[in-house]
Amino acid sequence: DGTLTVRDCVRPFLERLGGRSGLLVAVGRRPVATVMAAAQRDRDALKDVVVGGVFRGRRVADVEAEGRSFASYVQTRFLRPDMMGRLRWHQKMGHRTVLVSASLRPYLDPLASALGIERALCTDVERDEVDGDRYGRHLVGGNCRAEEKASRLRAWLDEQGIPGAELWAYGDSR
């Protein structure tokens, strides 16, 4: 959000899933966690509360369908032409491309696929322990931002057998 796209995509996606009222309901489901996160200015904890609250109990298949639709919307309306040009240059050069983002897997996976990006490493929500076809209420592995991005990318590079690869990275934050 802000590197490849012209705007944040998390909130519009959450509003598509639950409406604006759904964001308020999500915060209300865990009032103590919300207050603590806000008081400590803990963005990751607040994201866990809000995203987990909106996803909680929803069927995975329904969220993924909405994610595919939203990915198409992002692709036609929010992509930055300059960064798309840069992405296409890397792809033309035969470079492997990976998207590492705090954005949400249900729309980031299909967006990455549509753009010819090999893999999206991103924020996701746990599955319900009892009904694995529904979402739980917490992020899996935390919010994929800051050091978590680097950690996930290193793990992916190790999985691919290319831990010392030359990297080109783009971003709009530290």
Side-chain angles (χ1 to χ4, degrees), residues 1 8-15 17-18 22-30 34 43-58 63 102-107 122-126 135-140 142-144:
D1 293 344
D8 170 69
C9 295
V10 173
R11 183 174 176 173
F13 182 68
L14 293 175
E15 288 177 350
L17 286 180
L23 297 177
L24 295 173
V25 169
V27 168
R29 284 182 168 173
R30 295 176 53 203
T34 300
R43 291 174 31 188
D44 297 333
L46 192 56
K47 187 169 184 177
D48 184 71
V49 167
V50 175
V51 173
V54 171
F55 274 54
R56 182 180 179 184
R58 292 183 189 278
V63 173
S103 288
L104 303 170
R105 187 199 53 76
Y107 66 84
C122 54
T123 302
D124 200 2
V125 180
E126 70 183 3
Y135 280 104
R137 68 179 200 163
H138 292 288
L139 301 180
V140 175
N143 190 12
C144 186

Side-chain angles (χ1 to χ4, degrees), residues 18 145 154 162-163:
R145 71 170 197 90
R154 279 191 296 273
I162 51 173

Side-chain angles (χ1 to χ4, degrees), residues 4-144:
L4 196 57
T5 60
V6 297
R7 62 160 301 163
D8 170 69
C9 295
V10 173
R11 183 174 176 173
F13 182 68
L14 293 175
E15 288 177 350
R16 270 188 174 217
L17 286 180
R20 288 188 179 167
S21 63
L23 297 177
L24 295 173
V25 169
V27 168
R29 284 182 168 173
R30 295 176 53 203
V32 174
T34 300
V35 170
M36 288 180 61
Q40 295 171 355
R41 296 180 181 251
D42 186 340
R43 291 174 31 188
D44 297 333
L46 192 56
K47 187 169 184 177
D48 184 71
V49 167
V50 175
V51 173
V54 171
F55 274 54
R56 182 180 179 184
R58 292 183 189 278
R59 288 178 20 123
V60 172
D62 294 343
V63 173
E64 288 181 350
E66 192 61 48
R68 288 188 298 275
S69 172
F70 187 69
S72 294
Y73 181 78
V74 169
Q75 188 175 4
T76 60
R77 290 176 177 82
F78 294 160
L79 295 179
R80 289 179 48 183
D82 59 332
M83 291 308 296
M84 284 305 301
R86 197 67 179 151
L87 172 64
R88 296 301 181 220
W89 177 82
H90 282 289
Q91 291 170 330
K92 181 179 172 188
M93 297 301 293
H95 300 162
R96 296 176 76 175
T97 53
V98 180
L99 189 55
V100 186
S101 176
S103 288
L104 303 170
R105 187 199 53 76
Y107 66 84
L108 211 58
D109 274 353
L111 180 62
S113 179
L115 298 178
I117 294 171
E118 182 174 342
R119 181 75 191 273
L121 307 172
C122 54
T123 302
D124 200 2
V125 180
E126 70 183 3
R127 302 288 176 93
D128 184 272
E129 290 179 14
V130 176
D131 182 355
D133 291 334
R134 294 189 180 274
Y135 280 104
R137 68 179 200 163
H138 292 288
L139 301 180
V140 175
N143 190 12
C144 186

